[in-house]
Amino acid sequence: MSPNATSNDPVITSYAKAPARTITAGGVTYAYRELGPRGGIPVVFFVHLAATLDNWDPRIIDTIAKGRHVITFDNRGVGASTGQVPDSIEAMADDAYAFISALGFDRIDIFSFSLGGFIAQALVVKHPELVRKLVLTGTGPKGGKDIDKVARTTYWDILRATLTRSDPKEFLFFNRNATGKTAARAFVNRLKERTADRDAKIKTKAFRTQLKAIKKWGRSTPDDLSKITQPTLIANGDNDRMVPSNLSGELHRRIKDSELIIYPDSGHGAIFQYYEEFTPVAVEFLAR
């Protein structure tokens, strides 16, 4: 049980109503939210580039939180967490370890998306004993081809979104066809369901530092992913422009006995477009 919760607290299963909490570790105060029944192994969510606590799809969070203790958190220097964003994925993983340790957990399941998947891989390689199960979505391995081009794609789509007065995630996460546009608008609207006590947005300097860390990750020597023996579920769309879809296949080949799902007619945000299909699969995988 986390230090800010008590056994008398009501069980919250709506992310829109999950209380904002903080905990300090190594001089950094981390902002986080938790929901779902306490006890057992928690599911810790590792979020994407430029994201804060408000960027998780409540349909995924709420469904998993019906039966599991769920924790989301802001990386160092992001949102309401203090400190400076590190310039490497490995340092971000060290921060995640400090945060999880401060909460008193020595065993977790991880649900990760995009940049969060990079951090999750770095964490499990360095601290394999911490992680029981691993969900990697919209992500790729260290040294993966074209990961270092994420910044170029991101800035281009931010420009396109600005010109059309849209949310950049509509371009970055979804195909620009009728199906993708409908899914994009629905996803962006779901992110607005929490109206009170919303998180601070990421600062420009923090965002740029994250992009530098991603470029470094993409140009680094690959990790030996055969060391990952944890049950691993990998998911993506068939047209991921940010972290190329073929890299999900590469993760699947390099992580023994991993499971791979590729959704059709979808991009980086496939798990959000197909949340009705994907979330039950994730719940079942985490419950085994």
Side-chain angles (χ1 to χ4, degrees):
M1 184 177 294
S2 68
N4 298 108
T6 72
S7 59
N8 295 322
D9 285 347
V11 176
I12 296 169
T13 55
S14 168
Y15 194 52
K17 298 177 181 178
R21 305 190 189 280
T22 60
I23 193 167
T24 300
V28 176
T29 298
Y30 294 92
Y32 71 102
R33 296 176 190 160
E34 59 183 339
L35 64 161
R38 304 294 187 270
I41 295 172
V43 184
V44 183
F45 280 65
F46 287 51
V47 80
H48 63 84
L49 168 70
T52 69
L53 295 169
D54 291 328
N55 287 99
W56 280 115
D57 191 331
R59 296 299 177 276
I60 293 176
I61 294 277
D62 293 358
T63 303
I64 292 176
K66 286 179 182 178
R68 295 291 299 275
H69 182 186
V70 167
I71 298 169
T72 63
F73 72 104
D74 279 333
N75 295 305
R76 172 160 56 107
V78 177
S81 290
T82 66
Q84 301 295 317
V85 172
D87 64 358
S88 75
I89 300 300
E90 289 78 9
M92 294 177 189
D94 290 341
D95 290 337
Y97 184 77
F99 165 73
I100 292 160
S101 298
L103 288 178
F105 297 113
D106 57 12
R107 194 80 164 152
I108 65 169
D109 288 343
I110 291 178
F111 187 111
S112 64
F113 174 60
S114 194
L115 167 63
F118 304 157
I119 300 170
Q121 291 172 64
L123 179 65
V124 75
V125 166
K126 191 168 185 179
H127 300 283
E129 75 291 341
L130 176 67
V131 181
R132 186 188 70 130
K133 290 190 176 182
L134 188 60
V135 179
L136 299 171
T137 67
T139 195
K142 185 177 182 180
K145 186 176 184 299
D146 292 336
I147 286 178
D148 60 345
K149 296 177 182 176
V150 165
R152 184 188 311 171
T153 303
T154 301
Y155 283 129
W156 171 242
D157 280 357
I158 288 174
L159 174 61
R160 292 203 295 166
T162 301
L163 293 174
T164 57
R165 298 182 179 179
S166 305
D167 188 306
K169 290 184 288 296
E170 295 187 34
F171 289 84
L172 289 163
F173 289 6
F174 301 89
N175 288 341
R176 298 305 292 164
N177 57 19
T179 301
K181 289 179 180 179
T182 299
R185 286 192 294 270
F187 171 66
V188 170
N189 285 334
R190 292 197 298 273
L191 298 185
K192 299 174 182 175
E193 289 178 358
R194 183 185 181 98
T195 56
D197 200 17
R198 289 182 64 86
D199 201 0
K201 292 184 178 181
I202 191 169
K203 294 180 173 61
T204 300
K205 181 181 178 182
F207 170 60
R208 288 175 175 168
T209 304
Q210 284 187 334
L211 285 172
K212 289 177 182 176
I214 290 172
K215 180 178 286 188
K216 188 184 297 184
W217 171 265
R219 294 179 176 177
S220 295
T221 302
D223 285 326
D224 179 6
L225 299 185
S226 68
K227 293 180 179 179
I228 297 180
T229 58
Q230 289 83 352
T232 302
L233 174 64
I234 302 163
N236 205 345
D238 63 355
N239 185 38
D240 188 340
R241 295 171 54 252
M242 292 197 74
V243 184
S245 301
N246 64 291
L247 294 180
S248 292
E250 185 176 331
L251 283 173
H252 176 51
R253 288 190 296 273
R254 291 169 59 187
I255 300 175
K256 186 178 179 181
D257 297 328
S258 60
E259 301 172 40
L260 175 65
I261 304 172
I262 299 293
Y263 289 102
D265 191 20
S266 57
H268 192 56
I271 64 166
F272 309 128
Q273 179 172 329
Y274 285 93
Y275 71 88
E276 291 178 307
E277 291 84 357
F278 172 71
T279 308
V281 173
V283 168
E284 188 276 330
F285 170 78
L286 292 168
R288 288 180 205 160

